[in-house]
Amino acid sequence: MKNILDYTKAELAQEVDPKFRAQQIFQWIYQKGVESFDEMTNLPKALRQELAERFVIAPPKILQIEGSQDGSKKYLLQLQDGHTIESVLLPMKPEERDSTGKIVKEARYTICVSSQVGCKVGCAFCLTAKGGFVRNLTPGEIVGQVLAIRKEHAIPANRRVNIVYMGMGEPLDNLDNVAKAIRIFSDEHGLSIAPRRQTISTSGLAPKIEKLGQMGLGVLLAISLHAVDDRLREQLMPINKAYNIERIIEAVKGFPIDQRKRVMFEYLLIKDLNDDLKSAKRLVQLLQGIKAKVNLIYFNPYPGSPFQRPDEERAKAFQRYLLDRGILCTIRESKGLDISAACGQLKERSLGDSL
Ligand code: SAH
Ligand code: SF4
């Protein structure tokens, strides 16, 4: 049976008669969070029955939750074929209450989703790479991560959620399914998560960056740069042999982005490898002419990892160097060092005055 979460609303409209039923089904699944067709009480009984014979509503199953002191939660989720993936819930801003205890500002969340089981790219610092590549996730398996987390954490349907494709896998290596997930997430009858609140993070598949740009979805782009010279980048990220730094920068320059937004460059700071000011200087040069924002990430060591976390002073000096030259730059504090943040999921903590 087919997972109905795999369908965009337009695709679902092809499957039901009359077409507007697709809208109602979307509302039931994504806004009201029902998990059976029987509960869709404004659909005729015959249609409900037909749907139940043809489709399942199958979000992944939560196997394990690891909470962190800072409020982030990492989920181990099981797909229908038994494979497991990880997603992370990151509370970005806590709710604010007035003196009477009334909530004046709702909490904001970011959910970090996986796009593949494993990954082909094989970066030297990444735990996901160690297990090799297993398979792509379907659109429904991507969307289902958010459904499962929203339900478990009791996040109301109208609450603002951002999506980052920074979990396991390389999203641009699964572009068709990721593009569908973006459309399903942003559907006005579904979760209404606008594309500009969804960020695709990539190791730098230049032709796919260009293709994503041509698709005109309106999503944000994050580049995992991590090194400023090709020699080091090749060692860290073998994909650099296929698409080097210059090629990636060229693709980024052609990427359409909202006037008010920026392309994010992620830069993993690794002790004594790329955390020096000479690298910072080169980074400034590389980013010339790009509306960029840099996120410095402390390398998050795991048992047996070949690299070390840099000293805080070095990280701050690196950041200061960029800020002084007019480049927006934040340091992402490893979200929950007390949980095993395997896919490097990290919370943004602004240390810069200019933000
Ligand atoms: N494949 C995509 C998205 C998933 S990885 C990409 O590479 O961009 C998401 C982010 O986590 C990337 O920036 C990646 O470089 C980073 N990351 C991987 N392993 C990490 C680790 N051990 N510590 C900190 N960040 C890590
Ligand atoms: Fe894949 Fe990203 Fe990990 Fe590299 S960092 S192996 S691209 S998931």
Side-chain angles (χ1 to χ4, degrees):
M1 278 218 275
K2 290 186 171 147
N3 186 359
I4 201 160
L5 304 180
D6 283 331
Y7 290 71
T8 61
K9 195 174 64 198
E11 286 171 340
L12 198 55
Q14 303 298 313
E15 304 286 328
V16 291
D17 188 31
K19 292 192 189 317
F20 75 86
R21 296 289 181 203
Q23 178 179 319
Q24 293 175 314
I25 296 168
F26 253 60
Q27 284 165 331
W28 280 113
I29 295 175
Y30 295 104
Q31 296 179 352
K32 299 184 189 124
V34 306
E35 286 183 352
S36 77
F37 294 106
D38 236 18
E39 294 165 77
M40 303 183 180
T41 45
N42 60 354
L43 301 188
K45 209 154 186 207
L47 178 59
R48 281 187 258 161
Q49 228 155 32
E50 186 202 321
L51 289 169
E53 279 160 21
R54 295 176 58 203
F55 300 102
V56 285
I57 307 172
K61 196 175 124 198
I62 298 175
L63 285 187
Q64 203 187 316
I65 303 173
E66 272 183 89
S68 166
Q69 274 178 2
D70 55 23
S72 63
K73 273 164 119 179
K74 184 163 130 178
Y75 293 80
L76 182 68
L77 302 173
Q78 187 173 44
L79 307 170
Q80 278 194 300
D81 66 359
H83 286 302
T84 54
I85 49 165
E86 289 171 2
S87 320
V88 187
L89 174 70
L90 307 156
M92 299 311 279
K93 282 190 190 139
E95 63 187 19
E96 287 172 25
R97 292 170 188 266
D98 65 13
S99 54
T100 65
K102 208 178 108 207
I103 296 176
V104 285
K105 250 194 190 153
E106 305 284 10
R108 290 254 194 101
Y109 296 99
T110 291
I111 296 179
C112 169
V113 296
S114 291
S115 56
Q116 298 178 317
V117 182
C119 184
K120 282 181 210 163
V121 180
C123 302
F125 48 79
C126 176
L127 203 58
T128 301
K130 300 279 171 281
F133 174 74
V134 181
R135 70 170 175 85
N136 282 330
L137 296 189
T138 68
E141 287 170 335
I142 298 171
V143 172
Q145 296 169 52
V146 173
L147 283 184
I149 290 176
R150 218 188 49 177
K151 186 170 178 210
E152 189 281 330
H153 199 71
I155 301 173
N158 60 357
R159 186 61 47 85
R160 263 186 166 222
V161 171
N162 296 321
I163 305 288
V164 292
Y165 296 80
M166 293 186 185
M168 301 166 86
E170 167 52 56
L172 293 189
D173 188 34
N174 185 18
L175 182 51
D176 290 344
N177 290 348
V178 167
K180 244 180 217 180
I182 292 165
R183 292 202 171 97
I184 299 171
F185 277 135
S186 60
D187 197 290
E188 55 173 332
H189 297 111
L191 296 170
S192 286
I193 304 172
R196 68 190 147 71
R197 286 199 272 135
Q198 302 185 47
T199 303
I200 305 240
S201 174
T202 178
S203 55
L205 276 62
K208 293 290 180 67
I209 294 172
E210 284 155 358
K211 194 168 167 205
L212 178 70
Q214 285 154 10
M215 287 169 117
L217 293 168
V219 283
L220 303 184
L221 185 65
I223 304 289
S224 294
L225 193 64
H226 306 334
V228 288
D229 68 274
D230 283 321
R231 229 177 43 138
L232 177 61
R233 197 165 190 273
E234 269 171 28
Q235 285 169 23
L236 296 174
M237 309 175 77
I239 186 82
N240 199 72
K241 290 183 191 130
Y243 311 111
N244 66 13
I245 296 175
E246 198 189 333
R247 178 75 184 83
I248 295 170
I249 296 289
E250 179 194 307
V252 168
K253 283 187 172 159
F255 190 83
I257 196 135
D258 189 313
Q259 281 296 310
R260 292 158 297 175
K261 302 281 181 182
R262 288 166 189 277
V263 175
M264 188 205 287
F265 284 83
E266 294 163 278
Y267 191 92
L268 195 58
L269 287 169
I270 304 174
K271 191 181 171 83
D272 298 334
L273 206 64
N274 64 358
D275 59 348
D276 56 305
L277 291 185
K278 225 176 109 203
S279 301
K281 186 174 177 191
R282 179 83 189 107
L283 186 54
V284 172
Q285 289 165 352
L286 278 175
L287 298 183
Q288 236 152 49
I290 300 176
K291 263 184 83 182
K293 169 184 160 188
V294 174
N295 258 310
L296 301 174
I297 310 166
Y298 286 105
F299 172 70
N300 194 21
Y302 48 88
S305 67
F307 307 113
Q308 282 163 17
R309 184 184 154 92
D311 299 330
E312 210 170 303
E313 282 96 271
R314 297 273 277 188
K316 284 194 175 149
F318 199 106
Q319 180 194 30
R320 179 51 51 201
Y321 188 93
L322 296 183
L323 288 174
D324 285 347
R325 278 145 195 89
I327 296 184
L328 285 183
C329 178
T330 53
I331 299 187
R332 273 203 264 169
E333 191 52 55
S334 250
K335 203 35 173 160
L337 279 175
D338 54 329
I339 62 173
S340 44
C343 45
Q345 275 335 303
L346 316 150
K347 186 199 175 181
E348 196 165 347
R349 184 164 63 116
S350 164
L351 297 173
D353 310 328
S354 58
L355 294 176

